[in-house]
Amino acid sequence: MSGSTTDSAPENEHDGPSETVEPSAQESSAREPSAREPSAQESSARADDEKVAAVRRVARAGRRWRAAQLAGCAALLAVALTGGSIAFGALRDGGTATVASSSAVSPGLMASGDLDAGIRAIQAHLRTQPKDYGSWATLGLAYVEQARTKGDPSRYPQAEQALKRSLEVEPDNGQGLTGLAALAAARHDFKGALTYADRTLKQNPYNERALSSRIDALVELGRYAEASKAADLADERRPGIPVFTRYAYVHELRGDVRTARTVLERALSTATTPGDIAYVASALGQLAWNQGDYGTALTDYARALAADDSYLPALEGRARAQAASGDRAAAIKGMEAVVARYPLPGPLVALGELYEDRGGDGDKAKAGDQYALVDAWTALARANGVNADLDTAMAAADHGDKAAALRAARAEWARRHTVHTADALAWALHVNGRDKEALPYARQATATGYRNASFLYHRGIVELAAGDKKEGRSLLGSALKLNPGFSPLGAREARKALKEASE
């Protein structure tokens, strides 16, 4: 299922000739607490408070953000993400929430429910056993998981360092290769992810992570027929939650929502850890929300939050479902809490649109602050090796530099042909007044049967602009019937355009 992809924790371990792993100055939070140091709980609470305070300081900056240089914005966002632990020059992109990815880290590490503590334990182990290539790979995957769950792309260079060390100690080991596949996918290098997954599967055709990464890569490259075959093969070889969730998403992309939900319910019935329960229940919530079934979505998100009350995708999804259900106050409160912890493009744009839709005193400026933070996050992402063009295209088309949106959409389309990149390019062309050029891409975005109200809305607007009122009205009506609350602003514009086209 669509998920999102990125999170934060200790910094680099040094890789010197002595082959030891010593914490850097930026890694002080990873040390065992001494009699003079705060406890892990106190440090975590303090860090969370610092993140919230930093984001609020950024929000209060208001219009000054839009006048400041982007590099300065990125540096401030880095502080907001890590409570000040990232150096000024360490900047990153991560996620349009299209990659179907469950936890990349080993079940043993995740079972404790404390990823940061698990990382500290691995670091301590590697100080005494620096030749343990498996632990280096696990550390790399743990950093990828931190980036995925907390939205901190500065972890990706650390993940790369650890995974490369694993492969230096033991060339071509499967754990290291699957880790590089996960890292490449997180950075939106899907060709690289496919290459690493295939290399791993040549060694071990039953490697669950490699089978899952291969499906993800093929989906994100738009090679849907191959992804479907890869999902079938993975289901034969290693049935389980990672494969089930990907199998479900492949079916959803073809419009087979019933099968997708059946498979996800099956996955949820086998889930035992809080992380797996939260992940699968959130995927079910997203599936229900896409179909406009907000009651079911809220129930699914409640299941996720019962397992893990801090699970970010569930908190974000619940806020979106509340907004679509008409509970705007709860939606804004929930989305504010999400972006205060992890300011990622999706929730930032959603919160900005909720402010615009409310239209109270100061709401326009508040919305502008959210959109400015998207630009800063994009700079941070790119500086950490993540391709952010899809995020840039979608946010900028509606709330930023339209020419930049088109450049980014074209660049992303040159790399991969998916329904999401087709939709992004179509919309970027539309907002730049190039509707006839946009039309083939808008049609391609809806060609697989994927039931996405935003895609239908975009195509409906493009069809109207290109002169086909009948088709435009039909598509706008379908979008609003499928998911009438798909976007606070988009749904309003769809109703307005439908009314005007019907007069």
Side-chain angles (χ1 to χ4, degrees), residues 231-277:
D232 289 339
L233 180 63
D235 190 40
E236 289 175 12
R237 290 181 176 176
R238 291 299 300 271
I241 287 174
V243 172
F244 290 161
T245 52
R246 288 159 172 86
Y247 187 94
Y249 187 47
V250 168
H251 278 269
E252 185 189 359
L253 285 170
R254 298 204 304 252
D256 187 359
V257 174
R258 179 178 296 180
T259 297
R261 186 159 192 94
T262 298
V263 172
L264 288 173
E265 289 284 7
R266 179 184 172 192
L268 187 59
S269 71
T270 66
T272 56
T273 68
D276 281 344
I277 294 169

Short mmCIF file of all heavy atoms in Angstrom, two decimals, residues 231-277:
data_model
loop_
_atom_site.label_atom_id
_atom_site.label_comp_id
_atom_site.label_asym_id
_atom_site.label_seq_id
_atom_site.Cartn_x
_atom_site.Cartn_y
_atom_site.Cartn_z
N ALA A 231 5.17 -9.79 -7.56
CA ALA A 231 4.37 -9.97 -6.35
C ALA A 231 3.85 -11.40 -6.24
O ALA A 231 3.85 -11.99 -5.15
CB ALA A 231 3.21 -8.98 -6.34
N ASP A 232 3.42 -11.97 -7.36
CA ASP A 232 2.96 -13.36 -7.36
C ASP A 232 4.09 -14.30 -6.96
O ASP A 232 3.89 -15.23 -6.16
CB ASP A 232 2.43 -13.74 -8.74
CG ASP A 232 1.10 -13.08 -9.08
OD1 ASP A 232 0.39 -12.66 -8.14
OD2 ASP A 232 0.77 -12.98 -10.27
N LEU A 233 5.27 -14.06 -7.52
CA LEU A 233 6.43 -14.91 -7.21
C LEU A 233 6.82 -14.79 -5.74
O LEU A 233 7.09 -15.80 -5.07
CB LEU A 233 7.61 -14.53 -8.10
CG LEU A 233 8.90 -15.34 -7.90
CD1 LEU A 233 8.67 -16.80 -8.25
CD2 LEU A 233 10.03 -14.75 -8.74
N ALA A 234 6.83 -13.57 -5.24
CA ALA A 234 7.18 -13.35 -3.83
C ALA A 234 6.16 -14.02 -2.91
O ALA A 234 6.52 -14.58 -1.86
CB ALA A 234 7.27 -11.86 -3.54
N ASP A 235 4.89 -13.98 -3.30
CA ASP A 235 3.84 -14.60 -2.50
C ASP A 235 4.02 -16.12 -2.46
O ASP A 235 3.73 -16.76 -1.45
CB ASP A 235 2.48 -14.23 -3.06
CG ASP A 235 1.34 -14.64 -2.14
OD1 ASP A 235 1.50 -14.48 -0.91
OD2 ASP A 235 0.31 -15.10 -2.64
N GLU A 236 4.51 -16.68 -3.55
CA GLU A 236 4.78 -18.12 -3.58
C GLU A 236 5.98 -18.48 -2.70
O GLU A 236 5.97 -19.49 -2.00
CB GLU A 236 5.07 -18.58 -5.01
CG GLU A 236 3.87 -18.56 -5.94
CD GLU A 236 4.27 -18.90 -7.37
OE1 GLU A 236 5.42 -19.36 -7.58
OE2 GLU A 236 3.44 -18.70 -8.28
N ARG A 237 7.00 -17.64 -2.76
CA ARG A 237 8.25 -17.98 -2.09
C ARG A 237 8.28 -17.60 -0.62
O ARG A 237 8.75 -18.36 0.22
CB ARG A 237 9.43 -17.29 -2.81
CG ARG A 237 9.72 -17.87 -4.18
CD ARG A 237 10.90 -17.15 -4.84
NE ARG A 237 11.24 -17.76 -6.12
CZ ARG A 237 12.17 -17.29 -6.95
NH1 ARG A 237 12.86 -16.19 -6.62
NH2 ARG A 237 12.41 -17.89 -8.09
N ARG A 238 7.81 -16.39 -0.29
CA ARG A 238 7.91 -15.92 1.09
C ARG A 238 6.65 -15.17 1.50
O ARG A 238 6.67 -13.96 1.71
CB ARG A 238 9.13 -15.00 1.25
CG ARG A 238 10.47 -15.70 1.15
CD ARG A 238 10.66 -16.76 2.24
NE ARG A 238 10.59 -16.20 3.57
CZ ARG A 238 11.63 -15.71 4.23
NH1 ARG A 238 12.81 -15.70 3.68
NH2 ARG A 238 11.48 -15.26 5.45
N PRO A 239 5.51 -15.87 1.60
CA PRO A 239 4.29 -15.17 2.03
C PRO A 239 4.45 -14.62 3.45
O PRO A 239 5.03 -15.27 4.31
CB PRO A 239 3.22 -16.27 1.96
CG PRO A 239 3.98 -17.55 2.07
CD PRO A 239 5.30 -17.31 1.41
N GLY A 240 3.97 -13.41 3.65
CA GLY A 240 4.08 -12.76 4.95
C GLY A 240 3.73 -11.29 4.80
O GLY A 240 3.43 -10.82 3.70
N ILE A 241 3.79 -10.56 5.89
CA ILE A 241 3.34 -9.17 5.89
C ILE A 241 4.05 -8.31 4.85
O ILE A 241 3.39 -7.56 4.11
CB ILE A 241 3.46 -8.57 7.30
CG1 ILE A 241 2.36 -9.16 8.19
CG2 ILE A 241 3.33 -7.05 7.27
CD1 ILE A 241 2.46 -8.77 9.64
N PRO A 242 5.39 -8.34 4.74
CA PRO A 242 6.03 -7.48 3.73
C PRO A 242 5.54 -7.75 2.32
O PRO A 242 5.33 -6.82 1.54
CB PRO A 242 7.52 -7.81 3.88
CG PRO A 242 7.65 -8.32 5.29
CD PRO A 242 6.38 -9.07 5.53
N VAL A 243 5.35 -9.01 1.99
CA VAL A 243 4.89 -9.36 0.65
C VAL A 243 3.40 -9.08 0.49
O VAL A 243 2.94 -8.57 -0.54
CB VAL A 243 5.20 -10.84 0.34
CG1 VAL A 243 4.55 -11.28 -0.98
CG2 VAL A 243 6.72 -11.05 0.27
N PHE A 244 2.59 -9.38 1.52
CA PHE A 244 1.15 -9.15 1.44
C PHE A 244 0.84 -7.68 1.15
O PHE A 244 -0.04 -7.36 0.33
CB PHE A 244 0.46 -9.55 2.74
CG PHE A 244 0.42 -11.03 3.01
CD1 PHE A 244 0.20 -11.52 4.29
CD2 PHE A 244 0.61 -11.95 1.99
CE1 PHE A 244 0.16 -12.88 4.54
CE2 PHE A 244 0.58 -13.31 2.23
CZ PHE A 244 0.35 -13.78 3.52
N THR A 245 1.52 -6.77 1.85
CA THR A 245 1.21 -5.35 1.67
C THR A 245 1.55 -4.89 0.25
O THR A 245 0.83 -4.08 -0.34
CB THR A 245 1.97 -4.50 2.69
OG1 THR A 245 3.36 -4.82 2.66
CG2 THR A 245 1.44 -4.74 4.09
N ARG A 246 2.63 -5.41 -0.30
CA ARG A 246 3.01 -5.04 -1.66
C ARG A 246 2.06 -5.67 -2.68
O ARG A 246 1.68 -5.03 -3.67
CB ARG A 246 4.45 -5.46 -1.92
CG ARG A 246 5.43 -4.58 -1.17
CD ARG A 246 6.77 -5.24 -0.98
NE ARG A 246 7.74 -4.30 -0.42
CZ ARG A 246 7.88 -4.06 0.88
NH1 ARG A 246 7.11 -4.68 1.76
NH2 ARG A 246 8.77 -3.19 1.31
N TYR A 247 1.68 -6.89 -2.43
CA TYR A 247 0.73 -7.59 -3.30
C TYR A 247 -0.58 -6.79 -3.35
O TYR A 247 -1.18 -6.60 -4.41
CB TYR A 247 0.49 -9.00 -2.75
CG TYR A 247 -0.35 -9.90 -3.61
CD1 TYR A 247 0.24 -10.78 -4.51
CD2 TYR A 247 -1.74 -9.91 -3.51
CE1 TYR A 247 -0.52 -11.64 -5.29
CE2 TYR A 247 -2.51 -10.75 -4.28
CZ TYR A 247 -1.90 -11.62 -5.16
OH TYR A 247 -2.66 -12.45 -5.94
N ALA A 248 -1.00 -6.30 -2.19
CA ALA A 248 -2.24 -5.52 -2.12
C ALA A 248 -2.12 -4.23 -2.93
O ALA A 248 -3.05 -3.85 -3.66
CB ALA A 248 -2.58 -5.20 -0.67
N TYR A 249 -0.99 -3.56 -2.84
CA TYR A 249 -0.83 -2.29 -3.55
C TYR A 249 -0.81 -2.49 -5.05
O TYR A 249 -1.38 -1.69 -5.80
CB TYR A 249 0.46 -1.60 -3.09
CG TYR A 249 0.62 -0.20 -3.64
CD1 TYR A 249 -0.42 0.70 -3.61
CD2 TYR A 249 1.83 0.21 -4.20
CE1 TYR A 249 -0.28 1.99 -4.11
CE2 TYR A 249 1.99 1.49 -4.71
CZ TYR A 249 0.94 2.38 -4.66
OH TYR A 249 1.08 3.65 -5.17
N VAL A 250 -0.19 -3.55 -5.51
CA VAL A 250 -0.18 -3.85 -6.94
C VAL A 250 -1.62 -4.02 -7.44
O VAL A 250 -1.99 -3.53 -8.52
CB VAL A 250 0.67 -5.10 -7.24
CG1 VAL A 250 0.44 -5.58 -8.67
CG2 VAL A 250 2.16 -4.79 -7.03
N HIS A 251 -2.45 -4.68 -6.64
CA HIS A 251 -3.86 -4.87 -7.03
C HIS A 251 -4.61 -3.54 -6.97
O HIS A 251 -5.46 -3.26 -7.83
CB HIS A 251 -4.53 -5.92 -6.15
CG HIS A 251 -4.26 -7.32 -6.60
ND1 HIS A 251 -5.07 -7.99 -7.48
CD2 HIS A 251 -3.23 -8.16 -6.34
CE1 HIS A 251 -4.58 -9.20 -7.72
NE2 HIS A 251 -3.46 -9.33 -7.03
N GLU A 252 -4.34 -2.72 -5.97
CA GLU A 252 -5.00 -1.43 -5.88
C GLU A 252 -4.69 -0.57 -7.10
O GLU A 252 -5.57 0.12 -7.63
CB GLU A 252 -4.59 -0.69 -4.61
CG GLU A 252 -5.36 0.61 -4.42
CD GLU A 252 -4.83 1.47 -3.29
OE1 GLU A 252 -3.86 1.08 -2.62
OE2 GLU A 252 -5.39 2.57 -3.09
N LEU A 253 -3.44 -0.60 -7.55
CA LEU A 253 -3.06 0.19 -8.72
C LEU A 253 -3.84 -0.23 -9.97
O LEU A 253 -4.00 0.56 -10.90
CB LEU A 253 -1.56 0.05 -8.98
CG LEU A 253 -0.65 0.84 -8.03
CD1 LEU A 253 0.80 0.42 -8.22
CD2 LEU A 253 -0.80 2.34 -8.26
N ARG A 254 -4.31 -1.46 -10.00
CA ARG A 254 -5.10 -1.94 -11.14
C ARG A 254 -6.59 -1.73 -10.91
O ARG A 254 -7.42 -2.15 -11.73
CB ARG A 254 -4.83 -3.43 -11.38
CG ARG A 254 -3.39 -3.75 -11.73
CD ARG A 254 -3.30 -5.06 -12.51
NE ARG A 254 -3.91 -6.17 -11.81
CZ ARG A 254 -3.22 -7.18 -11.23
NH1 ARG A 254 -1.90 -7.16 -11.26
NH2 ARG A 254 -3.84 -8.17 -10.64
N GLY A 255 -6.96 -1.11 -9.79
CA GLY A 255 -8.36 -0.85 -9.50
C GLY A 255 -9.06 -1.97 -8.77
O GLY A 255 -10.27 -1.90 -8.53
N ASP A 256 -8.32 -3.01 -8.38
CA ASP A 256 -8.91 -4.15 -7.69
C ASP A 256 -8.86 -3.91 -6.18
O ASP A 256 -8.05 -4.49 -5.46
CB ASP A 256 -8.14 -5.43 -8.07
CG ASP A 256 -8.79 -6.70 -7.52
OD1 ASP A 256 -9.82 -6.59 -6.82
OD2 ASP A 256 -8.24 -7.79 -7.78
N VAL A 257 -9.74 -3.06 -5.73
CA VAL A 257 -9.74 -2.64 -4.32
C VAL A 257 -10.17 -3.78 -3.42
O VAL A 257 -9.65 -3.94 -2.30
CB VAL A 257 -10.66 -1.42 -4.14
CG1 VAL A 257 -10.80 -1.06 -2.67
CG2 VAL A 257 -10.13 -0.23 -4.93
N ARG A 258 -11.11 -4.61 -3.88
CA ARG A 258 -11.60 -5.71 -3.05
C ARG A 258 -10.47 -6.67 -2.69
O ARG A 258 -10.31 -7.05 -1.53
CB ARG A 258 -12.72 -6.46 -3.77
CG ARG A 258 -13.27 -7.64 -2.97
CD ARG A 258 -14.41 -8.32 -3.70
NE ARG A 258 -15.56 -7.43 -3.84
CZ ARG A 258 -16.69 -7.78 -4.44
NH1 ARG A 258 -16.83 -9.00 -4.96
NH2 ARG A 258 -17.69 -6.92 -4.52
N THR A 259 -9.69 -7.07 -3.68
CA THR A 259 -8.58 -7.97 -3.41
C THR A 259 -7.55 -7.30 -2.50
O THR A 259 -7.03 -7.92 -1.57
CB THR A 259 -7.90 -8.42 -4.71
OG1 THR A 259 -8.83 -9.16 -5.49
CG2 THR A 259 -6.67 -9.28 -4.44
N ALA A 260 -7.28 -6.03 -2.76
CA ALA A 260 -6.32 -5.31 -1.93
C ALA A 260 -6.74 -5.33 -0.47
O ALA A 260 -5.93 -5.60 0.43
CB ALA A 260 -6.17 -3.87 -2.43
N ARG A 261 -8.01 -5.04 -0.20
CA ARG A 261 -8.46 -5.01 1.19
C ARG A 261 -8.45 -6.41 1.81
O ARG A 261 -8.06 -6.58 2.97
CB ARG A 261 -9.86 -4.40 1.30
CG ARG A 261 -10.27 -4.24 2.75
CD ARG A 261 -11.35 -3.22 2.99
NE ARG A 261 -11.44 -2.94 4.43
CZ ARG A 261 -10.83 -1.96 5.04
NH1 ARG A 261 -10.08 -1.11 4.37
NH2 ARG A 261 -10.94 -1.79 6.35
N THR A 262 -8.83 -7.42 1.03
CA THR A 262 -8.83 -8.80 1.54
C THR A 262 -7.42 -9.21 1.95
O THR A 262 -7.21 -9.80 3.02
CB THR A 262 -9.37 -9.77 0.48
OG1 THR A 262 -10.73 -9.43 0.18
CG2 THR A 262 -9.30 -11.20 0.96
N VAL A 263 -6.45 -8.89 1.11
CA VAL A 263 -5.06 -9.26 1.39
C VAL A 263 -4.54 -8.50 2.60
O VAL A 263 -3.85 -9.07 3.46
CB VAL A 263 -4.18 -9.01 0.16
CG1 VAL A 263 -2.71 -9.19 0.49
CG2 VAL A 263 -4.57 -9.94 -0.98
N LEU A 264 -4.86 -7.20 2.72
CA LEU A 264 -4.41 -6.43 3.86
C LEU A 264 -5.05 -6.91 5.17
O LEU A 264 -4.39 -6.95 6.21
CB LEU A 264 -4.70 -4.94 3.65
CG LEU A 264 -3.82 -4.24 2.62
CD1 LEU A 264 -4.33 -2.82 2.35
CD2 LEU A 264 -2.37 -4.20 3.07
N GLU A 265 -6.32 -7.29 5.11
CA GLU A 265 -6.97 -7.85 6.30
C GLU A 265 -6.28 -9.15 6.71
O GLU A 265 -6.10 -9.42 7.91
CB GLU A 265 -8.46 -8.09 6.04
CG GLU A 265 -9.29 -6.82 5.92
CD GLU A 265 -9.57 -6.16 7.27
OE1 GLU A 265 -9.00 -6.60 8.29
OE2 GLU A 265 -10.36 -5.20 7.29
N ARG A 266 -5.90 -9.94 5.73
CA ARG A 266 -5.17 -11.18 6.01
C ARG A 266 -3.83 -10.85 6.67
O ARG A 266 -3.42 -11.50 7.64
CB ARG A 266 -4.95 -11.96 4.72
CG ARG A 266 -4.17 -13.26 4.89
CD ARG A 266 -3.93 -13.90 3.53
NE ARG A 266 -3.03 -15.04 3.63
CZ ARG A 266 -2.46 -15.63 2.59
NH1 ARG A 266 -2.72 -15.19 1.37
NH2 ARG A 266 -1.65 -16.67 2.76
N ALA A 267 -3.16 -9.85 6.13
CA ALA A 267 -1.87 -9.44 6.71
C ALA A 267 -2.05 -8.97 8.14
O ALA A 267 -1.26 -9.31 9.03
CB ALA A 267 -1.25 -8.34 5.86
N LEU A 268 -3.11 -8.20 8.39
CA LEU A 268 -3.34 -7.68 9.75
C LEU A 268 -3.63 -8.82 10.72
O LEU A 268 -3.20 -8.78 11.88
CB LEU A 268 -4.50 -6.69 9.74
CG LEU A 268 -4.77 -5.95 11.05
CD1 LEU A 268 -3.54 -5.15 11.49
CD2 LEU A 268 -5.97 -5.02 10.90
N SER A 269 -4.32 -9.85 10.23
CA SER A 269 -4.65 -10.97 11.11
C SER A 269 -3.41 -11.76 11.53
O SER A 269 -3.43 -12.47 12.54
CB SER A 269 -5.64 -11.91 10.42
OG SER A 269 -5.01 -12.62 9.36
N THR A 270 -2.33 -11.65 10.76
CA THR A 270 -1.10 -12.36 11.10
C THR A 270 -0.09 -11.47 11.82
O THR A 270 0.94 -11.95 12.28
CB THR A 270 -0.43 -12.92 9.83
OG1 THR A 270 0.00 -11.85 8.99
CG2 THR A 270 -1.40 -13.81 9.05
N ALA A 271 -0.37 -10.16 11.89
CA ALA A 271 0.58 -9.23 12.51
C ALA A 271 0.59 -9.43 14.03
O ALA A 271 -0.46 -9.59 14.65
CB ALA A 271 0.20 -7.80 12.17
N THR A 272 1.77 -9.39 14.61
CA THR A 272 1.91 -9.59 16.05
C THR A 272 2.62 -8.43 16.73
O THR A 272 2.33 -8.13 17.89
CB THR A 272 2.66 -10.89 16.36
OG1 THR A 272 3.93 -10.86 15.70
CG2 THR A 272 1.86 -12.11 15.89
N THR A 273 3.55 -7.78 16.05
CA THR A 273 4.29 -6.69 16.68
C THR A 273 3.52 -5.38 16.52
O THR A 273 2.78 -5.20 15.54
CB THR A 273 5.68 -6.52 16.07
OG1 THR A 273 5.55 -6.05 14.71
CG2 THR A 273 6.44 -7.85 16.08
N PRO A 274 3.68 -4.44 17.45
CA PRO A 274 3.01 -3.15 17.32
C PRO A 274 3.33 -2.45 16.00
O PRO A 274 2.46 -1.84 15.38
CB PRO A 274 3.53 -2.35 18.52
CG PRO A 274 3.89 -3.38 19.53
CD PRO A 274 4.42 -4.55 18.74
N GLY A 275 4.59 -2.55 15.56
CA GLY A 275 4.98 -1.90 14.31
C GLY A 275 4.25 -2.45 13.11
O GLY A 275 3.77 -1.71 12.26
N ASP A 276 4.15 -3.78 13.04
CA ASP A 276 3.45 -4.40 11.91
C ASP A 276 1.96 -4.10 11.95
O ASP A 276 1.33 -3.83 10.92
CB ASP A 276 3.68 -5.92 11.92
CG ASP A 276 5.03 -6.31 11.35
OD1 ASP A 276 5.66 -5.47 10.70
OD2 ASP A 276 5.45 -7.46 11.57
N ILE A 277 1.38 -4.15 13.14
CA ILE A 277 -0.06 -3.86 13.26
C ILE A 277 -0.35 -2.42 12.83
O ILE A 277 -1.28 -2.16 12.05
CB ILE A 277 -0.55 -4.09 14.71
CG1 ILE A 277 -0.45 -5.59 15.06
CG2 ILE A 277 -1.98 -3.59 14.89
CD1 ILE A 277 -0.66 -5.87 16.55
#
